[in-house]
Amino acid sequence: MKLRFAPSPTGLIHVGNARQAIANALYARHYGGRFLLRIDDTDVARSKEEYVTALQADLQWLGIEWDEFVRQSDRLDRYALAIEHLKATGRLYPCFESEQELASKREARIRARKPPIYDRAMLKLTPQQRAQAEANGKMPYWRFRLSDRMVRWDDMVMGESRVKLPSISDPVLVRADGTVLYTLASVVDDIETGITHVVRGEDHVTNTGVQIDIAVALGVAADHFRFAHLPLLLDEGGGKLSKRFDGLSLRSLRQDGIEPSAVVSYLARLGSADDPEPMSFADQAAGYDLSRVSRSAARFDMRQLLGLNRRIMHAMPFEEVRPRLPEGATEAFWLAVRGNVDMIGELRHWWDVVAGSIVPPVMEAQERDYLLKAVELLPAEPWDEQTWKTWTTALKEVTGRMGKALFHPLRLALTGEEKGPEMRDLLPLMGYDRVAGRLRIAAR
């Protein structure tokens, strides 16, 4: 068994294609198969080396390792051989229509209430007509003549699937400048690198029908590959998530402080019959099952991802997280705040609360005398986890305040927040001078 992930280096990996990478890698590892990373960089104009480096780093951040690595730009000679074979067998034919001519044909077919597919006019081109077109400076692009049949396969997610090839335009496989398009290059690569299973998005279903036909034309059986098409991702409201992918790149999630195990654990089970649970990559692979994936579109909910991330962080030991904490942060700080943050990036704020500076909020007039009284009753240092209780008990006896009226003004003045970590844990980290200073400022 061998699977692959084949991104184009034209941008950063987002949660949509990360889900496909995770599915391929987990399925391969579950069955002890091999996993190939292929860079689909035949689009020279848009491909950038910086994205190749970035996507490798992002995959490794997720815990995905590959057994083999290939680049399409290194395999142009293999595509050339396939092109010559398809030409020799009559499956690739030259075309000379311009974009304007094709658009005019499409519009005419629509007006005639016919499907707007290519009419194969260039199949009727005589050798003399082709020679005349080339003599006039036109360079042909090449279309693949699809079979007049229905392509069927048993999809590992979608079940019995079919694509009616006569309802599709013959695809262009080679541009006029001689460069090969993804539709052909991918098939050649999958055949020659020994891919057995292709797991990708539902939006590739029609493309799969076309590529099965191309594969057969290149000499392999129609059932040579097993396919699985993952349903599309929707946002919380049921809209297409694709419009928001730029804000959901792995790079942005990583910078925000999302844990890689949270991303893998969430995307591995998103849209399946199993609830996401914090697991290592190896544990996810051990139980991964494509048959558990629903055929319905899945909804990506950032709140669920953050909830999973919170659970992972809450269980994370200090030694594991120490390199990512603000400089000077202690284990006591980590234990105090980890249950109140969704992402590592939020720790900076709480470090400022306990060891830096904040801008205390403007307090109501009736609270100012209370805060000054709180300064008077502050216990002497050193402080521990009992200091908060000792202090607020004394304040209760002197002021008669209880509940929210007793605790809330203190939290607000000392942290600037309505809620957060337990004050009994924060107070010893803040120290007498900082606490007294903030109370006096808030009481002005």
Side-chain angles (χ1 to χ4, degrees):
M1 180 182 291
K2 189 174 184 180
L3 290 90
R4 49 80 165 172
F5 177 55
S8 298
T10 56
L12 297 173
I13 295 181
H14 51 65
V15 295
N17 45 33
R19 182 188 185 209
Q20 296 173 30
I22 290 167
N24 278 280
L26 289 177
Y27 196 81
R29 298 310 179 211
H30 178 81
Y31 288 98
R34 295 180 66 77
F35 179 66
L36 165 73
L37 174 60
R38 188 182 79 210
I39 305 299
D40 287 3
D41 57 351
T42 55
D43 188 345
V44 178
R46 297 176 60 219
S47 296
K48 294 184 180 180
E49 193 61 30
E50 65 192 74
Y51 289 132
V52 176
T53 302
L55 68 88
Q56 287 178 303
D58 285 343
L59 291 176
Q60 289 172 330
W61 176 68
L62 289 177
I64 295 177
E65 299 292 340
W66 45 93
D67 303 301
E68 299 177 41
F69 176 83
V70 297
R71 302 176 69 128
Q72 287 191 330
S73 57
D74 294 332
R75 293 178 44 78
L76 300 181
D77 58 332
R78 305 305 305 170
Y79 310 141
L81 290 175
I83 289 168
E84 291 309 310
H85 173 78
L86 293 176
K87 287 180 179 178
T89 54
R91 298 302 294 273
L92 271 184
Y93 60 95
C95 299
F96 293 92
E97 298 106 328
S98 66
E99 284 294 331
Q100 292 78 10
E101 289 171 325
L102 291 173
S104 178
K105 284 186 176 184
R106 282 194 296 270
E107 291 172 4
R109 290 183 69 88
I110 291 173
R111 286 196 299 271
R113 296 185 177 180
K114 295 180 179 179
I117 61 174
Y118 182 64
D119 61 7
R120 292 181 168 175
M122 290 293 101
L123 278 175
K124 303 173 185 176
L125 208 64
T126 65
Q128 293 76 17
Q129 288 173 320
R130 176 180 173 183
Q132 183 62 49
E134 291 177 341
N136 291 335
K138 289 187 176 182
M139 293 296 293
Y141 54 91
W142 297 78
R143 289 184 184 269
F144 178 74
R145 181 172 55 80
L146 292 168
S147 302
D148 296 325
R149 66 186 180 96
M150 180 85 74
V151 173
R152 294 179 173 86
W153 70 93
D154 182 19
D155 196 278
M156 292 187 290
V157 171
M158 296 296 180
E160 183 180 351
S161 301
R162 62 185 65 188
V163 172
K164 188 176 181 181
L165 296 180
S167 66
I168 305 171
S169 293
D170 289 345
V172 176
L173 299 189
V174 185
R175 299 184 182 92
D177 62 4
T179 57
V180 64
L181 274 80
Y182 160 85
T183 310
L184 174 60
S186 182
V187 176
V188 174
D189 290 336
D190 286 343
I191 294 172
E192 296 188 356
T193 59
I195 298 301
T196 60
H197 294 66
V198 177
V199 181
R200 54 188 178 185
E202 184 183 18
D203 52 329
H204 279 281
V205 166
T206 299
N207 193 40
T208 291
V210 170
Q211 290 186 310
I212 288 175
D213 202 41
I214 294 173
V216 171
L218 291 174
V220 304
D223 60 354
H224 183 82
F225 303 109
R226 292 294 310 278
F227 291 95
H229 291 86
L230 303 176
L232 298 179
L233 289 185
L234 305 177
D235 61 22
E236 295 96 323
K240 289 185 178 181
L241 191 65
S242 57
K243 297 178 181 179
R244 299 171 51 196
F245 271 158
D246 288 344
L248 289 171
S249 70
L250 292 189
R251 184 58 48 88
S252 65
L253 294 178
R254 183 178 183 178
Q255 290 173 343
D256 287 341
I258 296 290
E259 298 302 308
S261 58
V263 177
V264 173
S265 297
Y266 184 60
L267 292 180
R269 293 191 171 184
L270 182 60
S272 78
D274 302 308
D275 291 331
E277 291 291 336
M279 292 187 194
S280 67
F281 193 92
D283 288 340
Q284 288 285 357
Y288 191 69
D289 186 356
L290 280 172
S291 68
R292 304 285 289 172
V293 178
S294 170
R295 299 180 186 183
S296 302
R299 296 197 180 194
F300 182 92
D301 190 336
M302 180 59 77
R303 292 168 296 183
Q304 291 183 346
L305 177 59
L306 290 176
L308 196 60
N309 198 68
R310 188 186 307 114
R311 291 170 62 188
I312 291 171
M313 288 180 58
H314 189 72
M316 196 177 295
F318 174 66
E319 289 304 321
E320 182 178 340
V321 77
R322 175 191 281 184
R324 300 159 63 195
L325 294 179
E327 185 177 355
T330 62
E331 183 171 11
F333 167 75
W334 170 241
L335 296 176
V337 303
R338 66 180 179 179
N340 288 86
V341 293
D342 291 327
M343 301 177 289
I344 287 289
E346 297 171 7
L347 293 171
R348 178 73 256 178
H349 167 70
W350 289 109
W351 184 243
D352 287 338
V353 168
V354 302
S357 60
I358 64 169
V359 179
V362 176
M363 306 294 290
E364 298 291 336
Q366 66 269 22
E367 303 292 0
R368 293 171 186 169
D369 289 340
Y370 173 62
L371 295 180
L372 292 176
K373 179 58 67 175
V375 176
E376 292 179 18
L377 296 177
L378 268 178
E381 293 190 284
W383 287 359
D384 57 28
E385 66 274 6
Q386 294 299 318
T387 303
W388 172 254
K389 183 176 181 180
T390 301
W391 182 35
T392 54
T393 298
L395 272 169
K396 177 181 178 181
E397 292 175 355
V398 171
T399 65
R401 291 192 178 215
M402 300 175 61
K404 185 176 181 180
L406 176 67
F407 301 118
H408 185 258
L410 301 178
R411 174 181 288 280
L412 201 57
L414 296 178
T415 70
E417 301 290 345
E418 296 281 345
K419 55 186 178 179
E422 294 289 343
M423 291 301 299
R424 68 168 184 268
D425 299 324
L426 295 183
L427 214 62
L429 298 171
M430 297 169 71
Y432 180 94
D433 290 340
R434 182 171 286 106
V435 170
R438 287 183 184 169
L439 290 172
R440 291 190 181 101
I441 292 173
R444 291 177 182 173

